[in-house]
Amino acid sequence: MRKFEEIYHKYFQDVYLYLKSLSHNDSIAEEMTQETFFKALKNIESFDGSRDIRAWLFIIAKNTYFSYYKKRKRHMDCDLSEESEIGVHIVKHLMNEEDAFAVHQFLHSMKEPYKEVFSLRTFGELSFDKIGRLFGKSAGWARVTFYRAKKQILEYMEAMNHERD
């Protein structure tokens, strides 16, 4: 363990700067650096010494960053398609003042946490990660809760349309 602390102190800055060059973001680089050293600590037994420890750490850092990037890109793509879908349906209704009032009235009557999650996401423009942290839950929980709230609103709007027809 003492040996790993020495590795951590000796290479932390190098790994951090490498990740910062990939991400161009201080907080992401810091988070990924911590993750890199956590993974390295968990897998230190697999390091056979055949290559430089710094190179091994850079490989872990690169893989950690690209895993993070892919996951984030997947979430962003998913968020964008969900956002555009909800945008088309709700904006159409919000353009009509009467519909807008009815949707807001329905939103006001929704149960928690749906009402708050939907409002934070739609009107507060918060990320799922931040919403999840506000509730002490995961980003996945926030995403599912938002989806369920959105579904309730869309069903309400469909019912409104059928009443008019």
Side-chain angles (χ1 to χ4, degrees), residues 148-165:
R148 289 176 180 162
K150 178 178 75 171
K151 188 175 176 191
Q152 288 176 31
I153 291 170
L154 292 173
E155 286 170 358
Y156 172 75
M157 290 186 316
E158 287 293 317
M160 263 178 39
N161 283 342
H162 288 301
E163 285 176 16
R164 287 188 187 148
D165 294 342

Side-chain angles (χ1 to χ4, degrees), residues 14-120:
D14 291 341
V15 171
Y16 169 78
L17 291 173
Y18 173 66
L19 285 164
K20 187 172 178 195
S21 75
L22 292 174
S23 67
H24 305 288
N25 182 304
D26 291 332
S27 61
I28 290 172
E30 202 169 308
E31 184 181 331
M32 294 295 103
T33 301
Q34 294 299 333
E35 183 71 20
T36 297
F37 279 98
F38 176 72
K39 287 178 179 179
L41 179 61
K42 279 182 21 183
N43 296 300
I44 194 72
E45 299 84 36
S46 69
F47 179 70
D48 60 7
S50 63
R51 65 179 99 134
D52 180 37
I53 188 101
R54 185 171 168 257
W56 183 68
L57 289 170
F58 279 14
I59 291 168
I60 295 171
K62 180 184 70 165
N63 291 337
T64 300
Y65 174 73
F66 285 116
S67 293
Y68 165 83
Y69 180 78
K70 282 184 211 166
K71 190 166 120 181
R72 183 179 163 125
K73 184 173 177 358
R74 233 184 353 258
H75 287 302
M76 284 173 53
D77 291 346
C78 179
D79 291 350
L80 288 175
S81 66
E82 283 180 11
E83 294 297 321
S84 64
E85 177 190 317
I86 192 168
V88 168
H89 291 296
I90 292 181
V91 167
K92 189 167 80 178
H93 286 277
L94 293 180
M95 285 170 67
N96 176 330
E97 198 172 311
E98 192 176 305
D99 284 353
F101 181 73
V103 169
H104 282 288
Q105 219 173 3
F106 179 75
L107 181 61
H108 186 71
S109 70
M110 286 176 75
K111 291 188 168 144
E112 292 298 349
Y114 303 106
K115 174 171 62 173
E116 190 169 358
V117 168
F118 184 84
S119 295
L120 289 169

